[in-house]
Amino acid sequence: MKQQHIVESNALVVRLPSEVLMSQTPTYRAALLRHMDDGVENIIVDLSGVRYMDSSGLSILVSLHKKAREQGGRVVLVSPNDGVRALIELTSLNQLFDIYADEKSAIEQCVMS
């Protein structure tokens, strides 16, 4: 998992690995929530490299969303492939998250909010 802090939008860009599975979920969730505890308000989750995500990966997104809302921030998603997008839509999580085609658009939206 790669991360980049965007100071002007108090955002963290997170690039998830090609597979997000139950075995990694606790580690990813803890690391990302720790950033939010340290003051990051907005999380931009770049899904462009994710080929497969199970339900535990979705649970990370939901946890981040809840924490961000509590802190007045938001979580946005970037460029999920067709399979990951279908999973997000099947579970109606597309109603919780704004989804952007590219990272630049997502960052601009976080700066404007």
Side-chain angles (χ1 to χ4, degrees):
M1 179 173 69
K2 296 181 182 178
Q3 305 166 17
Q4 173 189 2
H5 191 221
I6 309 294
V7 176
E8 63 273 11
S9 60
N10 195 17
L12 183 70
V13 177
V14 178
R15 290 173 191 85
L16 293 177
S18 63
E19 293 184 340
V20 182
L21 305 170
M22 185 177 288
S23 60
Q24 304 126 337
T25 301
T27 304
Y28 295 155
R29 183 188 331 268
L32 294 169
L33 291 175
R34 191 170 31 256
H35 283 291
M36 297 180 90
D37 288 339
D38 290 341
V40 171
E41 293 175 355
N42 302 301
I43 303 282
I44 299 164
V45 182
D46 185 342
L47 298 170
S48 62
V50 177
R51 293 186 325 247
Y52 178 78
M53 176 183 287
D54 66 15
S55 61
S56 67
L58 295 179
S59 74
I60 294 171
L61 299 178
V62 171
S63 295
L64 293 176
H65 171 75
K66 288 179 182 178
K67 182 77 168 186
R69 297 275 312 230
E70 289 171 6
Q71 297 179 332
R74 61 193 291 205
V75 175
V76 298
L77 308 179
V78 176
S79 193
N81 70 25
D82 291 341
V84 173
R85 181 181 286 270
L87 182 61
I88 290 167
E89 291 175 359
L90 179 68
T91 56
S92 299
L93 290 179
N94 57 314
Q95 296 176 22
L96 286 182
F97 300 102
D98 291 328
I99 301 174
Y100 295 91
D102 59 75
E103 193 176 295
K104 182 180 179 207
S105 300
I107 292 169
E108 288 173 356
Q109 186 60 36
C110 285
V111 170
M112 292 173 29
S113 325

